[in-house]
Amino acid sequence: MRHTAASLWIAAGVDINTIASWLGHSSTKLTLDTYGHLMGTDADRAAIERVNRAFTSHPRPTLGQGIDLGGSL
């Protein structure tokens, strides 16, 4: 559960010092050595942001809007 919590905090953008404190680590180096691979690179973050923008700029249809799936039932 600690790994899941740390992973979610990193994904949410919580700073590493805070995460280290919450986990009770003696240093941020221990936290980075353990969870640093989850932080990604600037390129990763930019790509994820582009994908998120694409999803939010094209709202998904809701039920009852008559989605055409190209066939008849």
Side-chain angles (χ1 to χ4, degrees):
M1 287 177 42
R2 288 170 55 88
H3 191 77
T4 299
S7 301
L8 292 171
W9 294 332
I10 289 169
V14 177
D15 69 275
I16 200 69
N17 290 324
T18 301
I19 294 171
S21 174
W22 289 349
L23 294 172
H25 289 170
S26 57
S27 69
T28 55
K29 181 180 180 336
L30 173 61
T31 308
L32 287 170
D33 287 347
T34 307
Y35 302 104
H37 66 283
L38 300 173
M39 298 184 76
T41 64
D42 288 338
D44 293 333
R45 284 185 286 279
I48 290 169
E49 180 60 32
R50 285 192 303 275
V51 169
N52 287 335
R53 274 197 310 268
F55 279 115
T56 57
S57 66
H58 297 92
R60 292 180 292 189
T62 58
L63 291 176
Q65 285 187 327
I67 301 169
D68 181 12
L69 299 177
S72 60
L73 296 177

